[in-house]
Amino acid sequence: MQRFENKVVLITGAGSGIGRATAIRMATEGARLMLVDRSEEGLQHTRDQLPAGAEVLLRMLDVSDEAAVELCVAETISHYGQLDVLCNNAGIAGGDYGTVQDQNLETWQQIISVNLYGVMLFTKYASRQMEKQGKGAIVNTASVAGIRSGAGGNAYSASKAAVINFTMTSACDLGSHNIRVNAVCPGLIETGMTKPVFDYARANDKEQKLGARCELRRYGRPEELAGAIAFLASDDASYVTGQALAVDGGNTASLNLPGMKV
Ligand code: NAD
């Protein structure tokens, strides 16, 4: 499949995990890329894994920095002359895992800035160009944590719920310009973000427990997200907008009551 031939795709958080797998998938399907991350080393590592001959630009920036985001979109357009797909994928977890009574405002501001404002800022500037082109597709990486409690700290979960709602509001804002906006909601995926969880489980002989409560009885791979993101970004999803697709091995399909799994 070459669904992204003659398309320019901008991916944030492309220096690791799901963003890296998405970059590889998009390039394999013919995309020209603008890859964004706060880690230069991560970006270079991603570039090294792209198929031979892939056209790519790298930009190190913080997605919550409005001036840097505006410049990055402008540079993409001045270099490639177009911008067809935006994948808002950069995100941070962490924060306070206690109850609401333990929350720290500064931590919330940091998480919301990256996970929500970053998505809003890239959508703001990229969609202006897509409107001029009369077409565009935006895919936001939210999380199952934005659908149910229990998959991350309070601030992270709230930020991802906001991304799901922002996906709907921006789909409504931009639909008349033929710009589609969708989200994926990953379950547990092995990436840089979840490395401590995997390291701990492996060190304590608990790896078989990871993902065991999903209906598919396993955790996911970044490539499985890349496939879903590429679908939503492609013309195969030409009548899909405003949706949040859980890519979670069935995790959110179940009430997951303790003791009910065999
Ligand atoms: P990851 O840590 O491997 O990759 C995230 C990338 O985003 C990193 O390269 C990081 O440098 C970059 N980044 C972080 N903050 C940034 C900023 N301010 N500006 C620019 N780049 C920044 O993690 P991942 O799992 O691949 O995460 C990708 C997305 O998937 C995130 O939005 C995350 O919340 C979401 N997600 C992941 C999981 C999971 O289980 N891994 C589950 C649900 C949702």
Side-chain angles (χ1 to χ4, degrees):
M1 277 188 296
Q2 288 291 300
R3 292 178 295 186
F4 299 100
E5 211 153 54
N6 303 319
K7 304 253 187 215
V8 173
V9 177
L10 191 158
I11 304 169
T12 71
S16 178
I18 294 168
R20 172 175 294 153
T22 304
I24 295 168
R25 176 64 184 257
M26 296 290 198
T28 305
E29 291 203 39
R32 288 172 286 160
L33 298 173
M34 169 61 96
L35 302 183
V36 172
D37 205 287
R38 66 180 174 185
S39 161
E40 192 166 20
E41 199 188 336
L43 284 173
Q44 285 164 355
H45 193 45
T46 300
R47 181 178 55 194
D48 293 344
Q49 294 181 45
L50 295 177
E55 258 190 84
V56 60
L57 289 180
L58 308 180
R59 284 293 172 275
M60 193 182 72
L61 59 80
D62 181 337
V63 295
S64 64
D65 176 345
E66 179 158 13
V69 170
E70 183 176 13
L71 183 63
C72 175
V73 171
E75 285 176 339
T76 308
I77 296 158
S78 82
H79 182 83
Y80 289 119
Q82 64 192 78
L83 175 55
D84 305 285
V85 172
L86 166 66
C87 300
N88 279 313
N89 168 78
I92 52 171
D96 307 296
Y97 284 92
T99 73
V100 61
Q101 294 171 4
D102 307 312
Q103 301 300 305
N104 173 287
L105 184 58
E106 212 177 302
T107 311
W108 271 70
Q109 282 163 339
Q110 196 187 2
I111 291 176
I112 300 276
S113 288
V114 176
N115 292 5
L116 179 60
Y117 298 169
V119 173
M120 180 276 290
L121 290 171
F122 264 104
T123 302
K124 171 179 170 180
Y125 291 102
S127 66
R128 291 179 179 176
Q129 175 65 18
M130 291 173 178
E131 181 181 339
K132 286 186 199 149
Q133 294 173 207
K135 185 174 178 178
I138 299 172
V139 185
N140 301 323
T141 308
S143 172
V144 293
I147 302 173
R148 299 267 188 280
S149 153
N154 286 22
Y156 181 75
S157 295
S159 75
K160 293 300 187 178
V163 168
I164 293 170
N165 195 274
F166 179 73
T167 298
M168 295 183 225
T169 56
S170 45
C172 295
D173 289 345
L174 301 171
S176 63
H177 301 300
N178 196 26
I179 301 169
R180 299 182 299 101
V181 189
N182 291 290
V184 288
C185 299
L188 180 63
I189 313 296
E190 185 169 15
T191 66
M193 180 177 281
T194 52
K195 188 173 183 305
V197 176
F198 281 83
D199 285 351
Y200 173 84
R202 283 175 184 138
N204 292 280
D205 207 18
K206 290 184 171 166
E207 193 181 352
Q208 76 287 354
K209 288 202 165 178
L210 291 171
R213 296 188 77 188
C214 295
E215 299 313 309
L216 295 181
R217 308 297 197 276
R218 65 174 178 85
Y219 55 85
R221 293 175 289 108
E223 295 74 21
E224 294 178 300
L225 263 299
I229 292 169
F231 162 68
L232 289 170
S234 78
D235 288 345
D236 284 342
S238 55
Y239 202 50
V240 182
T241 196
Q243 303 304 306
L245 175 65
V247 184
D248 66 347
N251 205 6
T252 49
S254 165
L255 281 176
N256 240 329
L257 298 175
M260 295 298 283
K261 286 260 155 63
V262 276

